[in-house]
Amino acid sequence: MAKMEVKTSLLDNMIGVGDMVLLEPLNEETVINNLKKRFDHSEIYTYIGSVVISVNPYRSLPIYSPEKVEDYRNRNFYELSPHIFALSDEAYRSLRDQDKDQCILITGESGAGKTEASKLVMSYVAAVCGKGAEVNQVKEQLLQSNPVLEAFGNAKTVRNDNSSRFGKYMDIEFDFKGDPLGGVISNYLLEKSRVVKQPRGERNFHVFYQLLSGGSEELLNKLKLERDFSRYNYLSLDSAKVNGVDDAANFRTVRNAMQIVGFMDHEAESVLEVVAAVLKLGNIEFKPESRVNGLDESKIKDKNELKEICELTGIDQSVLERAFSFRTVEAKQEKVSTTLNVAQAYYARDALAKNLYSRLFSWLVNRINESIKAQTKVRKKVMGVLDIYGFEIFENADNSFEQFIINYCNEKLQQIFIELTLKEEQEEYIREGIEWTHIEYFNNAIICDLIENNTNGILAMLDEECLRPGTVTDETFLEKLNQVCATHQHFESRMSKCSRFLNDTSLPHSCFRIQHYAGKVLYQVEGFVDKNNDLLYRDLSQAMWKASHALIKSLFPEGNPAKINLKRPPTAGSQFKASVATLMKNLQTKNPNYIRCIKPNDKKAAHIFNEGLVCHQIRYLGLLENVRVRRAGYAFRQAYEPCLERYKMLCKQTWPHWKGPARAGVEVLFNELEIPVEEYSFGRSKIFIRNPRTLFKLEDLRKQRLEDLATLIQKIYRGWKCRTHFLLMRKSQIVIAAWYRRYAQQKRYQQIKSSALVIQSYIRGWKARKILRELKHQKRCQEAATTIAAYWHGTQVRREYRKFFRANAGKKIYEFTLQRIMQKYFLEMKNKVPSLSPIDKNWPSRPYLFLDSTHKELKRIFHLWRCKKYRDQFTDQQKLIYEEKLEASELFKDKKALYPSSVGQPFQGPYLEINKNPKYKKLKDAIEEKIIIAEVVNKINRANGKSTNRIFLLTNNNLLLADQKSGQIKSEVPLVDVTKVSMSSQNDGFFAIHLKEGSEAASKGDFLFSSDHLIEMATKLYRTTLSQTKQKLNIEISDEFLVQFRQDKVCVKFIQGNQKNGSVPTCKRKNNRLLEVAVP
């Protein structure tokens, strides 16, 4: 069946322009306005071709739910509105389906949201790739590596509360199915200077605050730390607490993440010990002392901190103290030891702290790599995610060596971005058979060469200056730059570009300026030489190597005296340059995907868009140039099928269905719309549109046509709806009329029937009354005749017997009087009889003495009669209950103190209702007989007197014990093997069941139980045993009796005691021969 499907598209319901390649006109103002318009409508993502622009919203948005993941899964890149999930899906599908290694480059300045973007990419890939226990474990380890690295590598800055102070590149490895196998993390240039000093309004690395806030008292005592931040010189106090950040909860998250990633407990403890040692290093202070030879040396003021550090690290205190006071310089076979003044001692302390933390961070990365690396050696597909610091330009010439290195890295990334973008564009044109025209763009290779050239580059000259003998300062380095680079068009300093002798007064002293691709940056030369040297005195390295702490010892392999290397270690600049070169080489082997992050304001606040700040970022990210490169040839391209599907309604020949090839349909469509031939070109699989105005014209025509189609559909639908409604009304009217006529006839019939019945009833009544009158008349006549006859016969008899009356008068009067008294007595008793309750002992008093025996006999007969009437009301089940109650009375009345409380309680038997409870289905299936008792009892352990819950079951032939949780039968005792039941005379539920010696059930001995329904259980057991064995079960009631436990006879003795569990008796095994039961 043919179907018309209107697909969602980047162009549907577009706020601003979703792809800025289509922006018209193209300039900085329109780019900023477009980003602002989308930002104000919570559209934080915008495309430039395949590049995603992300504006940090500084708030949570409901666009990352599992439903959104499913929306973007396996969808075309331009099919839905711009989103980071679209780029992630495109990269993942290219890797999985086309076997192309991918890399995702995330750039932007601090606070722009790079770290969050990398998390979203990884979470999306984790959500869409395969499932399974092993795959889920790999995904969880990859995701949980983030909290660990963030704790040790991120810090709060004035621009960002969770700023990455290191560059991170993660290679995620996949198998041929697209399931993750593992990963490898590379880190770049940790800002270790932050360990010893932080700018105002910023914090040290998160882990210090998390440890002090979230560590338990026991852990802090073990690490010799206090919870107060002010106790540590390395922690800034003005911003120690960050709003909305729970350091204690984050510490628990980090500990959990380390466990998931694969850190052993002792490894995590060792890491925290190193962190504690770094914190305490900042509290070591020095004082000057003068030696005899006139040289100044330094001494530690308070050695308590040094002592605690040595205890943590396992270093001899004297060795570390000497390393802070002396420096040994080795040259060939000579060693020279010099003292350190206070300034040099503080430098050595800070250098040790920085190196210790930096090496710990590198160790963490390597340790994580060991855990998350792929375990198989099959060929792997790789997706790299690069989260690296963005271009940094600080005000007031605060840019130093770190900013210089960071900006150099961004120059290289911009260079590879332009190269790969042009390459991708050119490859697509060639693939589609479109003529390629050369695109003019700014090539920043000249700036990269200025920095990295091996002979006269800034990094090479910095290394040369560091290695040069003699006095080396930042000023001498700047002089060298002025000599070599003064004529370079992208370098500026106090020396004029044209002449070394003309000063450029627009620059401060001790500064130089580089014209980067993103703009001019002024660098303060102070600290360049020291930071590039990254010098740690050999005495400190050797002291660290002597530590008994395994982790610290492994961090300083150069301290091993057996491996002394007099060669100077590589500088920080040369190491970073080599790392960047390796990174660039790695990126060039992969298919690039770009995410450009933009910070909308410096206040870290939602709904604020600072156009000046955004304009500055647009410039240094090169977004405008990116758009120009993208649209230099054709601004828009689309496959023929979706293009025809989207615009086919604009041509009668293609609407509603085109039967031929999609390309032919697009050609017919464009010819019909009379679009100029120079505005588009046909590729092998895509249509290329040169000018955005042409695309917008197509969109306007489509919008108008959709409105016309909607009107047509509405008209047809309304006509159909009205016709349908009319037919329905007509059908309903016929049905209603038929039903009404039926109802009217039924009602008329009922009225006629009712009238006939009334008439009939009146006639029958008249006839009945007539017959009644006749019968009454006949009866009155008969009664009158009888009365007259009676009076006549009485008169005759009286006349005849009058002569005999006087002789028998006394006897007759006596008999008559006695008869009348008896009649009166019985009539009065009829009204005075008591209730029919058998327990009602009331009886009317005797009226006459001569009726005494009669009165008593009548009372006895009445009581027997009402008892019979009461018994006749009982059902068979009630009779059984009363028989059991009677049996219980005979067994326990005046013998067991618990009996009176049981009289008013009905005997229920199966309290657990095993047949109805699905939990005991297995138990029910195992029992074929009728269950007489099903109750939870406390079974007393024969060895120690402790109790365990068991299900007590009594059937016609057996006594069973089952586990309360599982329902499994534990013991089964035939009733013929039960010989006696023993219990105390006290008010407790404790009883013992004695078993026949030598029986299979008696192998472990007699059973001891405690139950709340003792009287009922003993009575039913007695009656059931009597019924089955025809022998009475012996019920022993005594406060002391013997039970058999295996081969031993044990005396059970009842004593008075205070109960913890209310009325439940407490058992205690005193020895092999005595078990005491404490009852209330």
Side-chain angles (χ1 to χ4, degrees):
M1 182 180 71
K3 63 177 181 177
M4 182 187 75
E5 181 183 356
V6 180
K7 292 186 178 180
T8 56
S9 169
L10 176 72
L11 301 170
D12 287 332
N13 303 319
M14 190 165 55
I15 297 170
V17 178
D19 187 346
M20 288 199 290
V21 172
L22 306 176
L23 198 61
E24 190 71 22
L26 178 64
N27 52 54
E28 272 187 0
E29 183 179 356
T30 57
V31 170
I32 294 171
N33 290 337
N34 185 59
L35 291 176
K36 184 177 187 302
K37 184 176 182 180
R38 293 179 62 78
F39 178 80
D40 292 341
H41 288 81
S42 298
E43 293 286 343
I44 63 171
Y45 295 112
T46 309
Y47 291 155
I48 299 178
S50 59
V51 178
V52 175
I53 309 301
S54 171
V55 183
N56 193 344
Y58 287 116
R59 59 192 173 102
S60 297
L61 295 176
I63 58 174
Y64 306 110
S65 62
E67 291 76 17
K68 279 288 182 183
V69 171
E70 289 302 318
D71 288 345
Y72 282 88
R73 187 173 185 173
N74 295 327
R75 301 294 286 269
N76 183 275
F77 186 75
Y78 297 102
E79 192 170 339
L80 298 174
S81 59
H83 201 290
I84 195 172
F85 287 170
L87 180 136
S88 304
D89 187 73
E90 184 78 11
Y92 177 71
R93 285 192 293 114
S94 296
L95 175 137
R96 183 191 63 192
D97 302 336
Q98 302 175 21
D99 207 18
K100 292 181 180 179
D101 288 349
Q102 304 289 317
C103 65
I104 299 177
L105 281 66
I106 307 172
T107 56
E109 72 171 52
S110 179
K114 300 186 299 300
T115 301
E116 286 301 316
S118 67
K119 290 180 185 177
L120 290 171
V121 170
M122 292 179 65
S123 64
Y124 178 85
V125 173
V128 299
C129 63
K131 301 293 186 291
E134 187 175 344
V135 173
N136 289 338
Q137 181 183 1
V138 173
K139 291 193 291 187
E140 188 66 15
Q141 286 186 333
L142 291 172
L143 293 175
Q144 290 299 326
S145 65
N146 281 327
V148 180
L149 294 179
E150 285 185 14
F152 287 86
N154 289 24
K156 188 262 182 190
T157 66
V158 292
R159 298 183 175 184
N160 186 1
D161 290 343
N162 187 32
S163 176
S164 297
R165 307 317 299 163
F166 71 104
K168 182 179 75 171
Y169 177 74
M170 173 182 280
D171 268 335
I172 308 173
E173 299 171 334
F174 298 83
D175 62 10
F176 70 96
K177 302 188 301 294
D179 294 340
L181 297 172
V184 179
I185 299 173
S186 302
N187 65 300
Y188 301 94
L189 192 67
L190 176 73
E191 187 189 16
K192 57 186 177 183
S193 60
R194 181 172 293 271
V195 174
V196 299
K197 183 179 179 183
Q198 306 90 43
R200 180 174 293 278
E202 298 190 3
R203 294 205 312 177
N204 210 322
F205 292 103
H206 292 326
V207 68
F208 296 113
Y209 304 92
Q210 291 174 358
L211 173 58
L212 297 181
S213 299
S216 63
E217 292 296 335
E218 180 184 358
L219 177 62
L220 294 182
N221 291 336
K222 184 178 180 181
L223 299 179
K224 306 183 187 304
L225 295 175
E226 298 179 24
R227 208 173 287 281
D228 185 9
F229 295 157
S230 62
R231 287 279 294 110
Y232 305 101
N233 297 331
Y234 279 167
L235 301 183
S236 60
L237 300 179
D238 55 339
S239 57
K241 295 289 186 181
V242 181
N243 293 333
V245 175
D246 187 348
D247 287 319
N250 290 340
F251 181 71
R252 292 190 290 272
T253 302
V254 171
R255 290 299 298 269
N256 183 55
M258 292 178 76
Q259 188 175 7
I260 293 173
V261 170
F263 282 81
M264 307 298 289
D265 289 342
H266 72 274
E267 290 178 326
E269 290 177 6
S270 298
V271 169
L272 294 180
E273 287 169 353
V274 176
V275 173
V278 172
L279 261 183
K280 299 185 78 63
L281 273 174
N283 291 350
I284 295 179
E285 296 182 347
F286 302 94
K287 60 182 179 181
E289 279 193 8
S290 298
R291 300 181 70 181
V292 178
N293 57 7
L295 296 176
D296 288 338
E297 67 173 323
S298 62
K299 290 291 183 182
I300 296 175
K301 288 183 181 180
D302 183 5
K303 296 185 179 181
N304 185 48
E305 293 285 355
L306 181 67
K307 178 183 176 183
E308 291 183 350
I309 292 173
C310 293
E311 290 175 356
L312 275 174
T313 58
I315 302 175
D316 188 346
Q317 183 174 341
S318 60
V319 172
L320 187 57
E321 184 178 1
R322 175 176 174 78
F324 281 133
S325 302
F326 294 88
R327 178 188 180 189
T328 303
V329 180
E330 297 184 23
K332 295 183 180 180
Q333 301 301 323
E334 296 182 4
K335 288 186 179 180
V336 179
S337 181
T338 60
T339 59
L340 300 178
N341 57 33
V342 172
Q344 291 171 331
Y346 276 117
Y347 173 84
R349 179 200 69 177
D350 291 346
L352 177 60
K354 290 188 291 185
N355 272 273
L356 190 57
Y357 191 84
S358 175
R359 297 183 188 204
L360 172 65
F361 186 77
S362 299
W363 181 88
L364 278 171
V365 173
N366 293 332
R367 180 63 184 82
I368 291 172
N369 284 338
E370 289 179 12
S371 295
I372 66 176
K373 67 181 179 181
Q375 302 300 321
T376 59
K377 295 184 179 180
V378 298
R379 183 182 177 277
K380 309 175 189 70
K381 304 176 183 180
V382 177
M383 177 185 289
V385 179
L386 177 65
D387 173 12
I388 203 162
Y389 12 65
F391 205 90
E392 289 193 351
I393 304 177
F394 294 152
E395 298 177 358
N396 303 323
D398 285 339
N399 304 292
S400 187
F401 179 75
E402 289 86 0
Q403 284 68 47
F404 175 75
I405 290 295
I406 288 171
N407 294 343
Y408 160 62
C409 179
N410 278 270
E411 284 285 355
K412 295 295 289 183
L413 288 174
Q414 176 68 9
Q415 184 181 27
I416 194 173
F417 170 69
I418 295 296
E419 289 177 359
L420 293 177
T421 301
L422 286 174
K423 180 181 178 183
E424 181 185 359
E425 194 81 358
Q426 184 176 5
E427 286 177 352
E428 183 173 19
Y429 278 41
I430 295 172
R431 187 169 58 249
E432 293 293 329
I434 304 295
E435 183 180 354
W436 169 257
T437 56
H438 180 70
I439 298 174
E440 293 293 336
Y441 66 96
F442 170 68
N443 189 345
N444 67 335
I446 187 173
I447 303 173
C448 296
D449 185 69
L450 169 65
I451 298 172
E452 67 181 4
N453 189 284
N454 290 329
T455 55
N456 55 4
I458 295 176
L459 286 177
M461 287 185 284
L462 180 59
D463 286 351
E464 183 181 330
E465 192 67 15
C466 290
L467 298 173
R468 181 175 62 82
T471 303
V472 177
T473 63
D474 297 316
E475 288 72 19
T476 59
F477 166 61
L478 182 59
E479 288 177 7
K480 191 172 188 70
L481 288 182
N482 290 333
Q483 293 173 7
V484 178
C485 305
T487 57
H488 197 285
Q489 58 180 337
H490 290 273
F491 177 86
E492 300 176 12
S493 70
R494 291 285 291 185
M495 305 303 294
S496 172
K497 297 178 182 179
C498 301
S499 172
R500 292 177 56 218
F501 303 103
L502 296 177
N503 289 334
D504 181 1
T505 56
S506 67
L507 286 168
H509 290 282
S510 70
C511 291
F512 65 92
R513 183 187 292 140
I514 292 180
Q515 175 68 49
H516 287 283
Y517 77 93
K520 294 184 178 181
V521 182
L522 185 66
Y523 295 103
Q524 173 62 252
V525 78
E526 181 181 351
F528 262 64
V529 173
D530 282 344
K531 292 176 181 178
N532 188 54
N533 268 326
D534 193 21
L535 188 61
L536 178 67
Y537 297 149
R538 183 173 288 113
D539 301 76
L540 289 171
S541 297
Q542 293 175 350
M544 292 296 104
W545 187 83
K546 292 176 182 178
S548 60
H549 194 283
L551 176 56
I552 293 179
K553 188 181 183 74
S554 67
L555 296 180
F556 293 88
E558 74 276 12
N560 187 350
K563 299 179 180 180
I564 291 180
N565 185 1
L566 300 180
K567 184 179 179 181
R568 189 181 184 92
T571 61
S574 60
Q575 291 181 46
F576 188 74
K577 176 182 172 183
S579 299
V580 169
T582 304
L583 175 63
M584 296 302 116
K585 185 178 179 181
N586 191 357
L587 295 180
Q588 285 178 337
T589 63
K590 295 178 174 60
N591 185 49
N593 303 270
Y594 300 95
I595 301 173
R596 303 291 202 168
C597 298
I598 291 178
K599 181 169 67 172
N601 60 77
D602 279 325
K603 299 178 180 179
K604 295 179 280 191
H607 307 294
I608 298 177
F609 191 91
N610 187 326
E611 296 186 7
L613 179 63
V614 173
C615 178
H616 172 69
Q617 294 173 82
I618 287 174
R619 287 175 183 169
Y620 77 64
L621 286 173
L623 299 187
L624 203 60
E625 189 169 57
N626 188 5
V627 177
R628 290 195 181 103
V629 168
R630 178 74 182 182
R631 63 187 283 179
Y634 293 90
F636 182 77
R637 71 285 318 263
Q638 190 176 29
Y640 291 122
E641 288 80 3
C643 180
L644 181 61
E645 186 69 27
R646 185 169 184 83
Y647 300 112
K648 62 183 179 180
M649 71 286 299
L650 301 180
C651 175
K652 293 181 180 180
Q653 299 178 50
T654 58
W655 177 258
H657 302 293
W658 173 256
K659 303 298 184 182
R663 172 170 176 164
V666 174
E667 290 179 357
V668 170
L669 175 66
F670 275 51
N671 291 333
E672 178 75 16
L673 296 175
E674 297 181 352
I675 297 175
V677 178
E678 62 273 10
E679 285 296 317
Y680 63 88
S681 291
F682 291 104
R684 292 187 176 91
S685 64
K686 294 181 181 179
I687 176 74
F688 287 75
I689 299 176
R690 187 178 300 278
N691 199 307
R693 284 193 297 271
T694 304
L695 181 65
F696 292 143
K697 177 184 175 182
L698 288 172
E699 284 297 311
D700 291 340
L701 292 172
R702 178 178 181 271
K703 183 178 180 182
Q704 181 61 45
R705 180 58 178 158
L706 285 177
E707 290 176 359
D708 295 342
L709 290 173
T711 304
L712 177 62
I713 293 170
Q714 286 177 345
K715 180 182 74 173
I716 295 172
Y717 172 73
R718 286 170 181 159
W720 169 84
K721 186 176 181 181
C722 288
R723 284 192 300 275
T724 304
H725 182 66
F726 167 75
L727 293 174
L728 181 62
M729 293 288 287
R730 181 182 174 188
K731 182 179 179 181
S732 301
Q733 184 271 332
I734 294 171
V735 172
I736 292 170
W739 277 90
Y740 177 75
R741 285 193 292 270
R742 175 186 175 186
Y743 166 75
Q745 291 298 323
Q746 287 177 340
K747 188 173 183 182
R748 184 167 177 272
Y749 166 75
Q750 292 294 339
Q751 288 176 345
I752 296 172
K753 182 179 178 181
S754 177
S755 301
L757 291 174
V758 170
I759 294 171
Q760 287 177 351
S761 65
Y762 271 101
I763 292 173
R764 292 192 187 101
W766 173 77
K767 287 183 177 180
R769 285 191 296 274
K770 183 179 179 182
I771 295 171
L772 179 63
R773 284 195 299 271
E774 292 175 353
L775 291 175
K776 283 183 177 180
H777 178 70
Q778 292 177 4
K779 185 177 180 181
R780 281 198 296 271
C781 291
Q782 290 176 357
E783 288 177 350
T786 302
T787 301
I788 293 170
Y791 272 100
W792 168 247
H793 288 305
T795 303
Q796 291 295 103
V797 171
R798 283 192 297 274
R799 285 178 182 174
E800 185 178 352
Y801 285 91
R802 186 175 295 163
K803 55 186 175 181
F804 304 107
F805 181 74
R806 295 184 185 275
N808 299 313
K811 184 179 179 181
K812 292 288 185 181
I813 291 171
Y814 173 77
E815 290 177 351
F816 177 79
T817 303
L818 190 63
Q819 184 180 4
R820 290 298 300 167
I821 289 173
M822 293 294 291
Q823 287 177 348
K824 184 179 178 182
Y825 169 72
F826 283 115
L827 288 173
E828 287 178 352
M829 284 298 294
K830 176 183 177 183
N831 297 325
K832 292 181 180 180
V833 291
S835 67
L836 296 180
S837 173
I839 62 174
D840 187 357
K841 297 184 179 181
N842 294 325
W843 187 250
S845 61
R846 180 193 64 211
Y848 303 102
L849 183 62
F850 76 92
L851 293 175
D852 184 59
S853 60
T854 303
H855 194 70
K856 291 180 179 178
E857 183 64 19
L858 187 62
K859 178 180 179 181
R860 186 184 68 82
I861 294 170
F862 177 77
H863 180 69
L864 292 175
W865 173 78
R866 69 183 177 182
C867 286
K868 182 179 183 304
K869 294 287 287 184
Y870 187 76
R871 288 196 302 273
D872 290 343
Q873 297 174 7
F874 292 164
T875 63
D876 293 339
Q877 184 177 1
Q878 288 176 322
K879 289 180 181 179
L880 180 62
I881 291 174
Y882 281 105
E883 287 175 4
E884 290 178 344
K885 284 288 185 180
L886 185 59
E887 193 84 61
S889 175
E890 294 174 356
L891 291 173
F892 302 109
K893 188 175 181 180
D894 299 329
K895 299 176 183 178
K896 177 72 175 173
L898 183 66
Y899 171 73
S901 63
S902 72
V903 173
Q905 299 176 357
F907 289 173
Q908 297 181 17
Y911 288 91
L912 290 185
E913 296 185 345
I914 290 177
N915 293 335
K916 298 180 181 179
N917 195 335
K919 177 180 177 182
Y920 300 117
K921 184 178 184 303
K922 182 178 178 181
L923 181 59
K924 171 191 169 187
D925 296 340
I927 301 173
E928 298 179 354
E929 301 177 272
K930 178 184 176 182
I931 297 174
I932 299 172
I933 291 180
E935 164 67 339
V936 176
V937 300
N938 293 323
K939 178 182 176 294
I940 310 302
N941 190 296
R942 301 179 180 91
N944 53 24
K946 294 183 179 179
S947 61
T948 306
N949 286 344
R950 287 286 185 268
I951 298 176
F952 185 98
L953 298 170
L954 176 63
T955 65
N956 290 332
N957 296 305
N958 295 290
L959 187 153
L960 300 96
L961 294 177
D963 186 82
Q964 185 184 5
K965 294 182 179 178
S966 65
Q968 182 180 358
I969 296 175
K970 296 291 187 179
S971 301
E972 183 173 358
V973 180
L975 291 182
V976 296
D977 292 343
V978 178
T979 60
K980 185 171 64 172
V981 176
S982 299
M983 63 189 74
S984 75
S985 62
Q986 307 294 326
N987 191 18
D988 64 272
F990 187 94
F991 66 100
I993 295 179
H994 301 265
L995 305 179
K996 184 187 295 183
E997 292 186 8
S999 64
E1000 182 181 352
S1003 60
K1004 294 184 179 179
D1006 300 338
F1007 289 107
L1008 301 179
F1009 300 104
S1010 175
S1011 172
D1012 294 336
H1013 303 95
L1014 167 61
I1015 301 298
E1016 177 183 357
M1017 295 176 71
T1019 302
K1020 287 184 180 291
L1021 182 59
Y1022 176 86
R1023 287 174 59 84
T1024 307
T1025 305
L1026 180 61
S1027 173
Q1028 296 300 320
T1029 64
K1030 308 304 179 183
Q1031 295 179 358
K1032 291 185 177 181
L1033 181 65
N1034 185 13
I1035 305 292
E1036 179 185 359
I1037 301 176
S1038 173
D1039 289 344
E1040 231 180 87
F1041 53 81
L1042 294 175
V1043 292
Q1044 183 77 30
F1045 288 172
R1046 295 188 184 275
Q1047 303 302 323
D1048 300 329
K1049 286 193 177 293
V1050 177
C1051 177
V1052 179
K1053 184 177 182 181
F1054 292 83
I1055 62 172
Q1056 298 292 327
N1058 295 326
Q1059 303 304 107
K1060 296 182 180 178
N1061 300 324
S1063 61
V1064 179
T1066 304
C1067 302
K1068 188 172 182 181
R1069 184 74 178 266
K1070 287 295 186 179
N1071 51 50
N1072 291 339
R1073 301 296 181 182
L1074 178 61
L1075 176 69
E1076 285 189 353
V1077 182
V1079 296

